[in-house]
């Protein structure tokens, strides 16, 4: 019941977003786009080419690439690629806090930025030329943070389609929760916020050395102030695109790293919600085992749980895929539902007890 209530709240949040009229600001503010990177020789040129074609007032745009101790040919490729005048490169000076990863780069970029609106994305992300306008147009004087949708570029096979469907679900959950003023998650690959509010909440604070969470922790800190609006740019034209993982192990490693931050959330209610979700998922195979061992009564509970999950999640995915993604992904829905159960159970366990690899670095949670 609690799980279904949670998923249905996301659905009503998405409905609220799609029914509302977007009030875009006519006068766009000055923006600093931060792109931290490490060992992105395969993507850095395409990233610069995407940035070069951004449509935004030149005198209001600053783009800073932050090199986090790359040891491949990323810097040589960066130097050889044609760039517009608003693009610059800075280098992190030390490498003694490896767990901080992306957050150190963002913090260093903010310290070297000249504008109040900070936008973050990744060097392996790509976007249309009007992306930045559509994201930033959601700001007004009462807004501190705007999150945007992210889509995956994947191979046309089951693993790729499952990743894309699952990632869409995460983004839609973020959107729906923001819409009902219960923000929990967002993606740092498509995020904008005010520098002064970042400073007001103490930046990344004591989460700086966590291997993940440059997005969720900040979102929750700003929400806890209770005096700023937080929005989701619910539009296909505000999307960024990034590459999916090539194999299952890469996918699990990434999701486990993301899951590692969950139990470090400051809000007790949020942590309890995550525990309830985990318990719901782990009880499905337990009930299935008990049913096959001869407990016929437990079968009723199992059927009710599976039905509630399928119905609530189908409504969310149908709504969100029509609005933001590709509705043809629904053909993988039932199969993905089966694979999702072990993935949801395993990822938090690895996230709490395991180690992760990121850009050639072995990280603790």
């Amino acid at each position: 019941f609690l799980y279904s209530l949670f998923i249905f709240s996301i659905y009503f949040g998405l409905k609220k977003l799609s029914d509302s009229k977007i009030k875009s600001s006519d006068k766009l503010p000055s923006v600093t786009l931060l792109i931290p990177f490490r060992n992105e020789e395969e993507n850095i040129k395409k990233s610069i080419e995407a940035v070069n074609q951004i449509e935004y007032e030149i005198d209001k745009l600053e783009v800073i690439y932050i090199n986090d101790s790359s040891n491949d040919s990323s810097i040589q490729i960066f130097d050889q690629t044609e760039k517009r005048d608003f693009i610059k490169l800075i280098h992190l000076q030390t490498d003694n806090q490896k767990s901080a990863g992306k957050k150190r780069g963002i913090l260093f970029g903010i310290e070297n930025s000249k504008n109040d609106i900070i936008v973050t994305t990744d060097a392996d992300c790509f976007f249309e030329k009007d992306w930045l306008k559509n994201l930033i147009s959601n700001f007004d004087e009462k807004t501190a943070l705007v999150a945007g949708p992210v889509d995956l570029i994947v191979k046309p096979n089951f693993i790729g389609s499952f990743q894309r469907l699952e990632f869409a679900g995460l983004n839609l959950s973020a959107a729906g929760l923001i819409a009902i003023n219960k923000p929990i998650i967002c993606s740092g690959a498509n995020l904008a916020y005010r520098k002064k509010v970042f400073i007001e909440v103490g930046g990344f604070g004591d989460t700086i050395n966590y291997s993940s969470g440059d997005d969720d922790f900040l979102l929750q800190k700003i929400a806890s102030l209770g005096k700023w609006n937080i929005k989701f740019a619910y539009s296909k034209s505000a999307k960024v695109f990034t590459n999916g993982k090539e194999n299952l192990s890469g996918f699990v490693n990434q999701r486990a790293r993301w899951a590692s931050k969950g139990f470090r959330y400051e809000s007790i209610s949020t942590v309890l919600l995550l525990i309830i979700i985990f318990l719901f998922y782990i009880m499905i195979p337990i009930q299935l085992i008990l049913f096959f061992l001869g407990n016929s009564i437990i079968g009723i509970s199992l059927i009710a749980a599976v039905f509630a999950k399928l119905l609530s999640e189908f409504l969310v995915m149908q709504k969100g895929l029509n609005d933001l993604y590709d509705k043809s992904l629904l053909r993988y829905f039932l199969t993905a539902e089966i694979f999702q159960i072990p993935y949801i159970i395993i990822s938090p366990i690895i996230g709490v007890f395991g180690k992760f690899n990121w850009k050639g670095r072995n990280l603790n949670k």
Side-chain angles (χ1 to χ4, degrees):
F1 173 77
L2 291 173
Y3 182 80
S4 297
L5 188 64
F6 169 68
I7 300 298
F8 276 119
S9 71
I10 293 173
Y11 171 77
F12 289 115
L14 295 179
K15 193 172 186 306
K16 180 180 178 181
L17 284 172
S18 63
D19 291 344
S20 63
K21 293 182 179 180
I22 300 175
K23 296 180 180 179
S24 300
S25 175
D26 295 329
K27 188 176 181 181
L28 295 175
S30 297
V31 168
T32 294
L33 172 59
L34 302 180
I35 307 178
F37 70 94
R38 172 177 167 80
N39 294 347
E40 290 287 357
E41 60 185 6
E42 295 182 1
N43 297 306
I44 195 73
K45 183 176 181 180
K46 289 186 289 185
S47 172
I48 295 170
E49 290 172 349
V51 171
N52 280 339
Q53 51 88 51
I54 288 177
E55 291 183 348
Y56 210 88
E57 293 182 46
I58 295 178
D59 60 339
K60 290 185 175 182
L61 178 59
E62 175 187 44
V63 179
I64 304 176
Y65 281 84
I66 307 103
N67 170 39
D68 181 10
S69 306
S70 294
N71 52 25
D72 63 358
S73 59
S74 297
I75 303 306
Q76 293 92 323
I77 295 173
F78 183 93
D79 292 338
Q80 295 167 6
T81 303
E82 184 177 350
K83 297 173 288 293
R84 297 178 69 180
D85 294 338
F86 52 69
I87 300 175
K88 69 177 182 179
L89 173 68
I90 60 177
H91 303 270
L92 280 169
Q93 299 302 311
T94 59
D95 192 27
N96 59 357
Q97 290 179 302
K98 293 183 179 181
S99 295
K102 181 180 174 182
K103 289 194 285 292
R104 281 196 308 126
I106 292 173
L107 183 59
F108 190 53
I110 289 174
E111 291 170 352
N112 286 273
S113 64
K114 64 181 181 181
N115 298 316
D116 183 52
I117 301 295
I118 302 295
V119 179
T120 63
T121 191
D122 300 323
D124 59 353
C125 290
F126 316 102
F127 33 78
E128 299 297 331
K129 59 185 179 181
D130 59 347
W131 155 69
L132 192 59
K133 282 183 179 180
N134 287 294
L135 180 69
I136 299 301
S137 64
N138 289 273
F139 272 95
D140 55 37
E141 59 183 15
K142 295 181 180 179
T143 300
L145 182 146
V146 176
V150 183
D151 200 352
L152 291 185
I153 301 170
V154 296
K155 291 182 178 179
N157 54 30
F158 174 73
I159 292 179
S161 299
F162 170 74
Q163 282 189 70
R164 193 177 176 211
L165 186 65
E166 184 268 349
F167 196 61
L170 287 176
N171 276 261
L172 294 173
S173 297
L177 292 170
I178 287 174
I180 60 172
N181 297 318
K182 301 291 182 183
I184 297 178
I185 59 173
C186 61
S187 174
N190 193 7
L191 190 63
Y193 46 86
R194 294 188 184 276
K195 185 200 298 186
K196 66 179 182 181
V197 181
F198 177 87
I199 295 171
E200 182 180 356
V201 299
F204 298 125
D206 56 2
T207 69
I208 184 67
N209 288 317
Y210 297 166
S211 62
S212 186
D214 56 282
D215 36 31
D216 298 354
F217 291 127
L218 181 61
L219 170 74
Q220 293 171 27
K221 281 184 176 183
I222 293 175
S224 69
L225 293 176
K227 62 180 182 180
W228 290 97
N229 291 334
I230 293 174
K231 296 181 180 179
F232 193 93
Y234 197 70
S235 168
K236 286 185 177 180
S237 56
K239 276 200 301 187
V240 303
F241 300 85
T242 189
N243 294 312
K245 296 301 177 183
E246 292 290 328
N247 51 54
L248 190 58
S249 63
F251 170 78
V252 172
N253 180 75
Q254 182 188 59
R255 297 309 194 266
R257 184 167 59 87
W258 291 353
S260 68
K261 61 194 173 186
F263 290 102
R264 297 181 181 270
Y265 291 159
E266 292 183 1
S267 170
I268 295 176
S269 62
T270 299
V271 174
L272 287 175
L273 173 63
L274 295 178
I275 292 173
I276 288 171
I277 292 172
F278 179 76
L279 290 176
F280 172 79
Y281 273 85
I282 204 168
M283 284 304 296
I284 291 177
I286 289 175
Q287 290 177 93
L288 186 62
I289 292 170
L290 292 175
F291 176 70
F292 280 116
L293 289 176
N295 191 330
S296 58
I297 295 177
I298 208 74
I300 298 173
S301 172
L302 175 62
I303 293 171
V306 172
F307 176 77
K309 172 176 164 57
L310 289 175
L311 176 62
S312 58
E313 292 182 359
F314 179 80
L315 290 175
V316 168
M317 298 308 295
Q318 183 185 49
K319 177 64 179 168
L321 292 179
N322 281 330
D323 291 344
L324 286 185
Y325 294 93
D326 181 357
K327 61 183 180 181
S328 68
L329 287 171
L330 276 176
R331 75 164 74 99
Y332 300 100
F333 177 76
L334 288 176
T335 310
E337 285 286 295
I338 297 172
F339 280 87
Q340 185 196 31
I341 295 171
Y343 141 67
I344 291 291
I345 295 171
I346 293 170
S347 294
I349 294 174
I350 299 175
V352 172
F353 299 106
K355 294 184 178 181
F356 326 104
N357 181 273
W358 179 81
K359 304 295 182 183
R361 287 175 174 165
N362 292 316
L363 306 176
N364 293 316
K365 62 181 181 295

